Amino acid sequence: MRISELSRHSGVPIPTIKYYLRDGLLPPGRATAANQADYDEGHLRRLRLIRALIGVRGLSVSATREVLAAVDERQDDLHLLLGTVLGALPADRDAADDDDAADAADDDANAAAPDLTDVEALTARMGWKVSSRTPAAQVVAETLETLRVLGVEFDWRSLLPYAELADRTAELDLDQLRDAGGPLQQAERAVLLAVLLEPALLALRRLAQEHHSAQRYGG
């Protein structure tokens, strides 16, 4: 297909496609003339993934390049590929501003690492096999620590019912990838579901809270 068709099928403007080609995010097409090239379905799939990473997930171009490099290496291992595009592995680092990145690294070095004891107990009870490096574990640990500092008695046992709901939600997420096609399509679908569904899931929780509040406390 010509670049105009690639633009039409992907929804990405031609100038943006040319930028991705110049920057190496998108491989060159097959040259047919001095200033013309043909593109195939592989280009379309990769372009859709780039659009999902930059336009939906909000990664910088440099971070997207790093993720795409990891994707190219991990297409035979869907678990690692999904971990990469969803940010569970270190390949997801936004290097848009080197100064900010350096400052953040200094802050991280000076800050005490969160205590993961509760998280480890929770994942063990759930039977989850997760990386100790995943940022999600640190988020849970930091949240529990904040609750304790504020005087709220909330530990990993309190999270168990929520973890069970999250487990079922994760199964539903991965069920959506069954008919997505090859690894690149599955990676794109995973990004779209993970990023775009999260606000809707939170909104559903708010709706349910409103309903049950009315049921319990409404006049």
Side-chain angles (χ1 to χ4, degrees), residues 146-192:
T146 300
L147 288 170
R148 280 192 286 268
V149 169
L150 295 175
V152 180
E153 294 298 325
F154 209 89
D155 62 9
W156 69 269
R157 296 174 185 82
S158 307
L159 280 179
L160 265 177
Y162 295 94
E164 290 165 355
L165 292 173
D167 190 81
R168 178 58 183 144
T169 301
E171 288 186 333
L172 291 172
D173 287 339
L174 294 183
D175 285 347
Q176 302 298 318
L177 305 182
R178 288 176 178 168
D179 301 322
L184 288 182
Q185 297 99 309
Q186 290 174 313
E188 178 203 5
R189 179 78 64 85
V191 172
L192 294 176

Side-chain angles (χ1 to χ4, degrees), residues 3-175:
I3 193 169
S4 57
E5 296 175 273
L6 185 62
S7 174
R8 185 172 67 254
H9 289 305
S10 66
V12 179
I14 291 176
T16 304
I17 294 176
K18 290 181 177 179
Y19 170 72
Y20 292 159
L21 287 165
R22 289 194 304 270
D23 213 49
L25 272 71
L26 192 66
R30 182 178 61 84
T32 57
N35 295 312
Q36 294 183 359
D38 276 341
Y39 303 91
D40 57 24
E41 289 298 318
H43 289 91
L44 180 59
R45 289 192 293 268
R46 190 176 183 90
L47 188 54
R48 284 173 171 164
L49 178 57
I50 293 170
R51 183 184 63 177
L53 292 170
I54 294 178
V56 177
R57 187 140 183 255
L59 294 187
S60 68
V61 170
S62 58
T64 298
R65 186 185 300 107
E66 185 180 352
V67 170
L68 289 172
V71 166
D72 290 339
E73 295 175 0
R74 296 169 177 171
Q75 288 195 39
D76 292 335
D77 189 326
L78 185 57
H79 174 59
L80 287 179
L81 187 151
L82 293 178
T84 298
V85 298
L86 295 178
L89 298 177
D92 177 17
R93 294 197 179 119
D94 191 340
D97 191 321
D98 292 338
D99 292 335
D100 288 347
D103 291 342
D106 290 340
D107 291 341
D108 289 343
N110 294 328
D115 184 356
L116 297 177
T117 303
D118 271 359
V119 179
E120 291 169 353
L122 177 64
T123 55
R125 174 64 69 87
M126 292 297 300
W128 288 348
K129 297 179 180 179
V130 297
S131 169
S132 60
R133 298 175 296 160
T134 180
Q138 297 191 18
V139 171
V140 174
E142 290 167 357
T143 301
L144 290 176
E145 178 59 26
T146 300
L147 288 170
R148 280 192 286 268
V149 169
L150 295 175
V152 180
E153 294 298 325
F154 209 89
D155 62 9
W156 69 269
R157 296 174 185 82
S158 307
L159 280 179
L160 265 177
Y162 295 94
E164 290 165 355
L165 292 173
D167 190 81
R168 178 58 183 144
T169 301
E171 288 186 333
L172 291 172
D173 287 339
L174 294 183
D175 285 347

